[in-house]
Amino acid sequence: MKKGLAQEGSQAPCTKWVWALLAAVLLFIWGNSLLPPSWSWRVSGVVQEAVEQVLPVEQADGQLGKPRGFTVRKLAHMSEFALLGALLALLTCAHSRRGRVALILLLGLLAALIDETIQKFTGRTSSVLDVWLDFSGVVLGLFLARLLFFLRRRRQDGSSGRPSFRQP
């Protein structure tokens, strides 16, 4: 019986790609955490300049302004971990339903804790706020992936009626 990306007990080629993407995302996240503070701020500055070109931010006085470095850094953290949560959701959809969400949340939290621990040893600030933001990103990625699973299933089944987030 087909479940998610792979047949039960086998690995579909697309599952291997998801594993590769997951490894790349973790290397990217943890690789950035290994950067010394000065390099990290330089990279953030480049990203902030790119964001400022496309995304003006409304200031308290109602005027459009530039996003602040803090905001850009925190949104980047959340985005990276949202991708991680979505990839974990893709990988776990091929396994049994029981404990799937808990496993994704646990792995996402573990990745966030490792990320902040790495920063502690590279001279950067380690923050509980960042762990929560990273974990929120995992939850967001999981939610978006589950929503896409639901919409895809609904479209394939041609079903209508009450929404259900249950996997087959």
Side-chain angles (χ1 to χ4, degrees), residues 3-126:
K3 289 187 157 199
L5 293 175
Q7 300 259 339
E8 198 169 350
S10 71
Q11 278 214 344
C14 58
T15 304
K16 292 176 184 175
W17 280 104
V18 176
W19 275 110
L21 284 171
L22 179 70
V25 167
L26 286 171
L27 285 173
F28 179 80
I29 290 170
W30 294 336
N32 281 329
S33 292
L34 287 169
L35 293 176
S38 60
W39 288 20
S40 175
W41 279 103
R42 260 186 253 151
V43 169
S44 293
V46 170
V47 172
Q48 182 175 348
E49 287 176 17
V51 169
E52 288 173 356
Q53 298 298 318
V54 268
L55 185 68
V57 174
E58 190 172 329
Q59 295 177 345
D61 60 4
Q63 299 294 319
L64 291 181
K66 297 180 178 181
R68 302 287 179 236
F70 177 82
T71 305
V72 171
R73 288 175 72 89
K74 300 311 172 193
L75 286 175
H77 265 267
M78 216 170 163
S79 300
E80 294 166 355
F81 278 85
L83 180 57
L84 178 68
L87 290 172
L88 288 170
L90 283 172
L91 284 173
T92 59
C93 72
H95 301 291
S96 71
R97 192 178 321 164
R98 183 172 292 170
R100 189 181 317 158
V101 172
L103 177 64
I104 294 168
L105 295 176
L106 180 64
L107 291 173
L109 182 59
L110 182 63
L113 289 169
I114 291 170
D115 182 45
E116 291 305 308
T117 302
I118 291 170
Q119 289 182 27
K120 185 82 172 163
F121 292 104
T122 59
R124 293 173 52 187
T125 306
S126 180

